[in-house]
Amino acid sequence: MTVSKAQQRAVAKYMKNNYDEMKIRVPKGTKSLIEAAAKVKDESINGYVKKAVKARYEADTGETINL
């Protein structure tokens, strides 16, 4: 199914208005290790990293965060 240009613009606008983006850098080879660990848990890399950040944030602050 082909996505129209209008639909692409709508999705881009929604993403811009509702999400912040973060980019992380890891040493060469680390990405594949994270990918493999996420795959074992049947998760995306994004989901895997978000769970790790959420757990660390909650451990450090005692507050919950919605990711």
Side-chain angles (χ1 to χ4, degrees):
M1 180 176 181
T2 305
V3 179
S4 70
K5 295 285 185 187
Q7 181 66 31
Q8 289 174 348
R9 286 191 304 271
V11 169
K13 181 180 178 183
Y14 176 84
M15 296 295 284
K16 181 180 178 184
N17 290 333
N18 291 284
Y19 293 95
D20 289 327
E21 288 191 31
M22 298 173 62
K23 182 175 185 175
I24 63 168
R25 297 181 192 280
V26 294
K28 287 275 187 193
T30 305
K31 180 182 174 186
S32 62
L33 297 174
I34 295 169
E35 283 176 321
K39 188 174 185 176
V40 167
K41 296 292 185 180
D42 197 30
E43 295 179 342
S44 65
I45 296 172
N46 190 58
Y48 187 85
V49 171
K50 283 172 51 175
K51 279 187 177 180
V53 169
K54 181 177 170 50
R56 177 68 185 266
Y57 180 87
E58 291 174 358
D60 290 350
T61 67
E63 299 175 7
T64 59
I65 188 173
N66 186 19
L67 296 179

